[in-house]
């Protein structure tokens, strides 16, 4: 049996295991989804959300792309965010980057990457925004690690800049946006503890798309 054919065998074993745990599992799965989480991560094969968080099928809505970018004119990610917030009414949006991200490394190489250039340019823009902090880090690996973190923070901020997130949050108190980094070396998730309310309030001067004349300060979960 080839490795490819093994996938179908694995699938049958998984079905059997799920049925053994809960005979109604697939009946429930076949109902409408009601995930509390939208998870945006790198396409990297080493960052599988369900495995690393213990979330089951139906519990997390997922979007993945190279280097977990949230680009304002990427219709794909904007559609996912809109659907997750307006229709699924997710309570949490997580941007999860990871150390040793090939996309982040590639973005900082001094060479023409062809069709990858415009996508990776977003990461160079993150570097430019934070070049004082990054240039002060002498160790190259530490500098890349920090760029991975800053990229997550900037992409989280990009989510907070959207009208759909601002409006839904002012009306319902959700979604809350979080930034994580997955560490391949030990399998642990690092919560960057971004201050959602502070970022929201800080960006309103320029990115307010609601016209609501108040600063949000109520406690959130
Ligand atoms: Co990556």
């Amino acid at each position: 049996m080839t490795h490819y054919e093994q996938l179908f065998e694995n699938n049958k074993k998984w079905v059997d295991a799920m049925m053994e745990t809960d005979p109604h599992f697939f009946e429930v799965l076949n109902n409408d989804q009601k995930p509390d989480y939208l998870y945006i991560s790198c396409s990297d094969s080493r960052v599988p959300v369900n495995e690393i968080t213990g979330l089951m099928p139906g519990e997390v809505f997922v979007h993945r792309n190279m280097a977990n970018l949230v680009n304002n004119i990427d219709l794909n990610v904007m559609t996912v965010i809109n659907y997750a917030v307006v229709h699924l009414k997710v309570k949490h949006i997580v941007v999860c980057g990871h150390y040793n991200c090939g996309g982040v490394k590639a973005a900082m190489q001094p060479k023409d990457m062809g069709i990858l250039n415009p996508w990776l340019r977003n990461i160079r823009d993150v570097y430019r925004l934070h070049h004082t902090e990054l240039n002060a880090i002498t160790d190259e690996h530490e500098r890349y690690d920090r760029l991975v973190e800053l990229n997550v923070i900037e992409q989280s901020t990009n989510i907070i800049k959207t009208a759909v997130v601002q409006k839904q949050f002012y009306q319902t108190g959700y979604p809350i946006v979080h930034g994580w980094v997955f560490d391949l070396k030990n399998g642990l998730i690092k919560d960057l503890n971004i201050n959602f309310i502070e970022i929201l309030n800080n960006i309103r001067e320029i990115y307010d798309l609601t016209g609501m004349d108040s600063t949000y300060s109520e406690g959130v979960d």
Side-chain angles (χ1 to χ4, degrees), residues 57-184:
E59 292 185 319
V60 57
F61 199 62
V62 177
H63 178 82
R64 299 174 72 166
N65 62 37
M66 189 181 284
N68 40 272
L69 298 180
V70 179
N71 185 296
N72 184 42
I73 56 168
D74 173 11
L75 196 56
N76 190 343
V77 72
M78 286 298 146
T79 301
V80 167
I81 292 170
N82 192 291
Y83 185 76
V85 171
V86 175
H87 298 280
L88 298 176
K89 296 183 170 41
V90 295
K91 290 193 160 67
H92 303 274
I93 301 178
V94 175
V95 176
C96 184
H98 65 102
Y99 297 123
N100 203 16
C101 181
V104 172
K105 276 191 180 162
M108 297 314 299
Q109 301 307 310
K111 66 176 180 185
D112 182 356
M113 301 287 285
I115 191 65
L116 300 186
N117 289 339
W119 189 253
L120 298 179
R121 228 286 305 284
N122 293 286
I123 301 169
R124 289 185 197 267
D125 291 341
V126 172
Y127 197 107
R128 185 169 61 87
L129 269 175
H130 300 277
H131 74 280
T132 306
E133 177 185 344
L134 288 164
N135 287 349
I137 303 172
T138 50
D139 183 89
E140 193 187 352
H141 295 292
E142 279 179 34
R143 194 161 63 242
Y144 271 125
D145 284 354
R146 186 58 184 151
L147 180 56
V148 165
E149 294 174 357
L150 290 169
N151 182 47
V152 166
I153 293 167
E154 289 301 328
Q155 304 316 318
S156 303
T157 304
N158 286 344
I159 293 172
I160 302 170
K161 290 173 189 168
T162 63
V164 68
V165 167
Q166 292 176 13
K167 282 184 179 170
Q168 189 79 358
F169 179 74
Y170 289 131
Q171 286 165 8
T172 70
Y174 292 104
I176 311 295
V177 180
H178 310 268
W180 295 356
V181 179
F182 181 64
D183 192 336
L184 299 166

